[in-house]
Every structure is written in C-alpha cells, then in structure tokens.
Amino acid sequence: MKYALLIYGDESMQADATSEQQMQVMAEYGAFTESINEAGVNLGGEALDSTGTATTVRVRDGETMTTDGPFAETREQLGGFYLIDVPDLDEAIAVASRLPGSKYGSVEVRPVWDWENNHPA
Amino acid sequence: MGLGEQPSSLSDHARALDQVFREEYGRVVSTLIRHVGDFELAEDAVQEAMAAAMVAWSSGVPRNPAAWLTTTARRKAIDRLRRAQTFARKQKELEYLAKLEQVEEDKEENVDSLVQDDRLRLMFTCCHPALNQEAQVALTLKTLGGLSTVEIANAFLAAETTMAQRLVRAKRKIKQAAIPYRVPPDHQLPDRLSSVLAVLYLVFSEGYSASEGDELIRHELCDEAIRLGRTLAELMPDEPEALGLLALMMLQHSRATARTSDGELVLLEDQDRSAWDRAAIESGVELLDRALRRHQVGPYQLQAAIAAVHTEAANAAETDWKQIRLLYSKLAEVAPSPVVVLNSAVAVAMEDGPGAGLDMIERLAGDLDGYYLFHSARADLLRRLGRVAESRAAYSRALELAENSTEKRFLVRRIQELG
C-alpha cells in the first residue's frame, strides 16, 4: 500500500528560526530520511519553496486564470499531486492548465526547493 | 557665468545627471538583468555604476551614457559575484560569472535591437500574471521607471517598509519560481500585453485622480506612466492598443491643469478649455489616428476616442454627445462593465435629458452601490430634475464613500448649493 505523507507547518516559524534551530531541524529530517531509506519504504519526496513563490492556476470556460499566491479555498481539499520538470514557470502553468483538476478545482504550482542554489530552507 | 552662480551650476550638473539616470535606468537595468539573470544583483550593480558616474562624469556626460553605465555595472556585478564566491560556491552564481566574463560589448549594430528587446522583456516580466497587480505596479516603477522605494511608497500612500517587502517578495518569486525573462510568444501576447497596459493605466489613473490623500493629481505618476507608455508604443509600434493607451493618457492629461482651480475640483463641463494643453491634444489625436488605421479596435482606443471628442468641442453643450454615446456602447461590447454603463448614462443624460440618464443609472444600483461616482452622478441628475431631497441624500452617500479630500470638498459644496 502506498501513502503520501503531506507535511504542514507554520512558514513564519521557519523564517524566524535561528541557523542553529534550522540545522537541528535539518538533522532531524536527515535522520528520518535515512531511517525510511533503511526500511526500504522511501519512494521519494521534496521540500517545497515557501507559499510566497506559489501560483494558483484555474481554468474556467476554457480560459486559464492565474493568481499570485497559494491555494486558499477551504471548500476544496488536496486530492493529489504531480511532480514535473520544465524550464520555467510559463511551462509549468501551461502543464497545470491541461491538468483536469484545474478545470474542476484549482492547481497550486509551487517550486521544489533548490538545494544547490539556496541556503537551507 | 558669474562667481555667484557657481552653486547653482553645481546643482545644475547634479540635476542633469539625475535626468540622465532616470532616462537611462530602465535601459541599463534591463540589459544587466539579461546578462546576470538576477534582478537584485542587476539593480545593485547599476546603483554602484551610477555612484561611480557621479565622480567620473564630473567634467561631462559621455556620448553614450547607457553604454558607459552598462559596462561599468557589468564589472561591478563581476566584482560582487567574485566576493560572494568566497563565502559560498553557489552553482548559479558561478554560471552567471562565467557567462558575464564572456559577454563582450554588444556589437555596435546590434545594440539598439538588443536593448529594445531588453526593456520589453522587463515590462513583460514585471507584469507577469503570476505576480499580483500591486507587485506588478511596484516592480514596473522600480525597475523600469527607476523610482526609489520611498518614491513609490509615497505615490501610493503606503508605508516604505510595506513597499520594500512587496518588492523583495516579487523579486524573490521571479527568481525562485523561475518566471522567464522574455517577450511572450505570439499566442500569449494579447493576454500578456493587456496586463502590461493595465499596469501603466493604473499608474496613470492613480496619478490623475488619486484615490486617497489631499492632492487630486499626482503629476509624477502621470508623467511616469506616459513616459513608460511612450516607450511601449515605440517598442511595439504595430500594437494599436499600445498606441491607444498612450493617446488616452495624453488626451486625459491635456486637461490636468484645468481640472483644479485654487486646489478645488472643476468638472469637465465647467473647465476653462483654453487651459487645455493643445500640443498634448494634437499628439494624442495623431497617435489615435495611427492606432485606428489598423482596424483592431480595443478598449484603450475607444476611451481615447471619447477623450478626443471632448477636446473637439468649444464647450460642454456643443459636445457631440451622440458620438460619445456610440463610443460608450461600443466600449460596453468589447469591455463590458457597470462603470462603462454609468459613463454611458451620463452621455445619454446630456443628449436626451436627465430623466433618460437617470433611468439607466437606477438599474446599476446593485452593482455600484459602493462606488462614490455612481452616487454623485445620480445626485447630479436628481438635482437637474429638481428632486432636491433625493439629490441631497445621494450626495451624502457619495461623501461617505469618497476618500480624496479635494473630491470630498467638492461634494460638500454641491450639498450646500442645494440649499
């Protein structure tokens, strides 16, 4: 049986954390990842960039509408996700607008955290 | 030049430099962004280059100030990246550096087209629909207009820290979410161009009729919007709506000085038409003619046409209201909105009498109850029909909703005149 583990938390706490606190959290995540790797149950996962970098895509009457910011409609619930690799946000929005979910609800496009070019989240 | 004039000649020099910086900022920063791929780094490097220019240009501005600033800024960017490397060997920064060191001076014959493309790229990136409109406006004024954060905050009566955060967030999103730096492909162009036009017109409108505060007109915002609109119209001479927007702004702005008298609001019908800027009207009408010849009518061309009809009349009574009404109904077709119907109703009232206009206006109550101009237009028609008590109530409602103090004083005067 496959399960998705969706991680929720307060971004502002992360942003305000000292670098020591951040290192500690990183270490905890490192240990967790190792433990599920050893158990052979890890199928993959990514850290996401903050909601400030999110764009919400909806398609209504065949027209693509984009909104700056994360998905914020309490009447809708998370129903699934795709991970895609494309050159830029325009391409990501184009793919998102073909996703049936953007027609029936909304699709939040959030960059995956880029470890190579950023300090720890 | 006498000795006594020396201080003023120094400040003349400073003013001349300021003028050059403002003119060239968007050009230089947009090219630097293409070179370094990073807004923050490009802006910082251009700031440093301008500081260097203050010293280097003390005996005179070079023949091509933009080229001087671009070359200097690129060197400053290289210095910054080298310094950053010693702290962290970041992949992206190493790539920028390798690329930057390869960038040769743009070949003389290519400079114009490359740089023009750069400013267009920057306009489309700043007005990308993945950024909210407030961020689009702030970013456009900052990076293309070269306005400081304080100037933008003052223009929109926002706190400087709020504006600074808005800019930081927008730039971070462009970088982290990889918003591309390019002019969109043809199939996306109509949509994307309309968001660029909307941002410029929003800047202009906020300047022309400030939604809050004491001053009715903030000329610096109007001037900046017209300057950017002119750049856009030069860069996209085949886009009739870009020409239409510039025409609209010039025609509206031609009435700016007549719109207030001793700080008080003067309505179109009462304005001293000899104070209208005829040169601006001529250029506006010429631009509009150029746009209309392309036979792709759009909302900005129609609004410019309406403004042009007003400028042709010697006074309010002689205005071709029938023509204005036709233009509004065309506008309602291409860009339907209750505000367009409201304006159309005012034209109907001028042509067929206040009763006919009022009938149209009453039907908008559901949509426009929170809009002060709906109540003031309604009050005016009620006044003309002699329905004084209702008129007073409508003016009072308008007064509750208005936020600009010049407009509030105007409404108070109207209420007093009702007796």
Side-chain angles (χ1 to χ4, degrees), chain B residues 394-412:
Chain B
Y395 273 127
S396 304
R397 179 86 181 107
L399 187 58
E400 278 168 34
L401 294 165
E403 289 186 46
N404 180 287
S405 28
T406 310
E407 289 172 337
K408 280 184 188 171
R409 284 199 305 277
F410 171 80
L411 293 166
V412 169

Side-chain angles (χ1 to χ4, degrees), chain A residues 19-98:
Chain A
S19 58
E20 270 170 33
Q21 287 167 326
Q22 285 180 356
M23 294 301 276
Q24 195 202 318
V25 174
M26 290 271 291
E28 288 176 27
Y29 269 98
F32 173 77
T33 308
E34 211 168 299
S35 76
I36 59 171
N37 284 346
E38 272 169 24
V41 301
N42 187 8
L43 298 180
E46 296 281 359
L48 300 182
D49 208 320
S50 65
T51 52
T53 63
T55 304
T56 302
V57 178
R58 292 183 183 83
V59 175
R60 298 289 182 269
D61 302 322
E63 207 177 314
T64 303
M65 292 174 292
T66 53
T67 318
D68 189 358
F71 160 81
E73 184 75 63
T74 49
R75 285 182 298 121
E76 295 173 346
Q77 293 78 36
L78 183 64
F81 73 92
Y82 284 92
L83 195 61
I84 59 169
D85 189 353
V86 293
D88 59 47
L89 185 64
D90 282 353
E91 290 295 320
I93 290 171
V95 173
S97 68
R98 298 205 310 270

Side-chain angles (χ1 to χ4, degrees), chain A residues 49-55 63-64 66-69 87-91 93 111 113-114 116-119, chain B residues 88-93 128-132 135 169 172-173 176-180 182 184-185 188 191-192:
Chain A
D49 208 320
S50 65
T51 52
T53 63
T55 304
E63 207 177 314
T64 303
T66 53
T67 318
D68 189 358
D88 59 47
L89 185 64
D90 282 353
E91 290 295 320
I93 290 171
W113 186 259
D114 177 358
E116 241 178 86
N117 292 301
N118 288 291
H119 298 291
Chain B
R89 293 187 83 72
K90 293 187 191 173
Q91 190 57 35
K92 251 185 193 155
E93 291 184 352
H128 195 281
L131 299 169
N132 67 51
R169 192 205 149 250
R172 186 167 183 278
K173 178 161 181 183
Q176 299 294 101
I179 291 179
R182 63 159 179 251
Q188 288 178 349
D191 263 6
R192 297 287 306 279

